[in-house]
Amino acid sequence: MTAPDSDLTIDPEALRRRAELALRTARDRTHALTTCVDEPDLTAQHSPLMSPLVWDLAHIGNQEEQWLLRAVGGRDALRPEIDSIYDAFEHPRAERPSLPLLAPAEARGYVHEVRGRVLDILERIELRGAPLIDAGFAFGMIAQHEQQHDETMLITHQLRRGPAALTAPPPPETADGAALPEEVLIPGGPFTMGTSTEPWALDNERPAHHRLVPAFHIDTTPVTNGAYERFIAEGGYGERRWWTAEGWAYVQEHGLAAPLFWRREGGQWLRRRFGVTEPVPPQEPVVHVSWYEADAYARWAGRRLPTEEEWEKAARHDPDSGRSRRYPWGDADPAPDQANLGQRHLRPAPAGSYPKGASPLGVRQLIGDVWEWTSSDFLPYPGFRAFPYREYSEVFFGPAHKVLRGGSFAVDEVVCRGTFRNWDLPVRRQIFSGFRTARDAS
């Protein structure tokens, strides 16, 4: 097993504190998501697409035990008998409610005990000298894993029926969104895609490599609800010509006519959002659409979805210096006035928001708000090496999964950077997915 290339120049104590903060931030969010509902809601399966919330809770602890207590710390197993129960590859989500899951109180006690021992290890270990611990990689990996499951649990909250259990303030208003140009020209030429230096980057983001990308235009902001309503009004769901064969078959089989959670009532579109029914806000980026829907809209608009390399070039390439940034705004970690992340607002911000988070060429909201579908299949980069296990990325490579980029309002900053790659099946709509469109410069 070979360690990923890392930037090992970070001060060891600063790195230790960063790892501790990432772990504590994730746990605070996990606690909030699992204490805002009662026990029946924790143990119920709210959709066959999702696990019971209590499964996610104990799975978080089990992964932390396996990687940080056993693999990194060399400690004896606390609960080896539950490893198979919380193995995501052994048990599909639909069958997890039938497993002998830890009850909520027992699951909370388990994750608490694991975390206490992990923090003890973190205080004592030298964060270099072995593949898993160089630059604190394993601690960053587990913080990201927990935040990814927090996003999954937030999806479960959206699918859950019943009164609202979560609240958050609305995102900030934007002053100049309506005056922005519809699209931005991204000049052609080479750029560096991926990373070989980001300490906590996961295997599918590696290694850094050069791509030659022809010039293209990309939407300044993600496609809005208002624009998507025009697609619906003009019969987009009823015209075969806009859809791939697989997409059309899926639309017909399931009777799709609008994004998930939308319904038509009294001459207007309403949506259900975390237990609240409200009019669909026209200026927000559309969310809960599948790849098939995003692709069909793009065709209807006379455009296309951007490729993954186009998306990353728009997000990271600085045309003045020629280098690739960590984020559209630069190399600094996200600030609240740069991106809608971390479940702060429970909804996307209006199109054109976060001017301080714009790319050098003026593309906005590339990070946060909604995951953005690209046209690309999920494939390895040249020189890819699975690390630290094949099941994180390698087993998903191929044409079955499409790449999403940029994160959403449900994503924490530790799991969101310009190189981060998400992927899912093209039918998926429960995820916080939207899109923007592109076209060739010629």
Side-chain angles (χ1 to χ4, degrees), residues 186-243:
I186 309 298
F191 92 106
T192 301
M193 187 173 186
T195 181
S196 296
T197 59
E198 183 75 31
W200 293 352
L202 303 172
D203 60 3
N204 63 66
E205 301 172 64
R206 301 173 181 271
H209 58 286
H210 295 296
R211 295 281 180 106
L212 183 63
V213 179
F216 65 98
H217 295 270
I218 192 166
D219 289 341
T220 305
T221 70
V223 170
T224 65
N225 290 321
Y228 201 86
E229 283 184 33
R230 291 192 290 276
F231 168 66
I232 298 172
E234 294 187 18
Y237 280 88
E239 292 205 34
R240 167 69 185 83
R241 59 179 169 151
W242 307 129
W243 301 82

Side-chain angles (χ1 to χ4, degrees), residues 32-43 46 53 108 157 160 163-166:
L33 287 164
T34 54
T35 57
C36 63
V37 292
D38 57 20
E39 187 163 318
D41 270 336
L42 288 175
T43 57
H46 297 282
L53 291 168
R108 290 192 181 103
H157 274 278
R160 166 186 164 271
L166 298 167

Side-chain angles (χ1 to χ4, degrees), residues 312-431:
E312 187 170 324
K313 185 171 185 180
R316 299 185 62 213
H317 182 65
D318 182 349
D320 291 335
S321 67
R323 64 180 291 269
S324 291
R325 302 171 165 193
R326 293 178 70 215
Y327 298 96
W329 55 83
D331 295 334
D333 290 339
D337 61 355
Q338 291 172 321
N340 182 6
L341 294 167
Q343 198 182 311
R344 286 193 295 265
H345 301 300
L346 287 176
R347 64 195 300 166
S353 296
Y354 299 101
K356 291 184 179 179
S359 75
L361 293 172
V363 188
R364 295 199 187 180
Q365 292 169 283
L366 286 157
I367 298 294
D369 286 304
V370 292
W371 284 109
E372 298 185 18
W373 289 110
T374 72
S375 64
S376 299
D377 298 336
F378 184 47
L379 299 172
Y381 290 161
F384 168 84
R385 293 176 294 162
F387 179 84
Y389 59 105
R390 289 185 62 248
E391 288 79 11
Y392 181 71
S393 301
E394 189 172 352
V395 298
F396 297 100
F397 289 147
H401 294 86
K402 295 294 186 181
V403 174
L404 301 104
R405 287 303 205 102
S408 73
F409 66 86
V411 174
D412 185 79
E413 65 178 67
V414 76
V415 200
C416 195
R417 48 195 164 263
T419 58
F420 190 88
R421 307 171 76 197
N422 190 7
W423 65 94
D424 216 325
L425 299 170
V427 300
R428 289 288 185 251
R429 306 200 316 152
Q430 81 274 17
I431 61 177

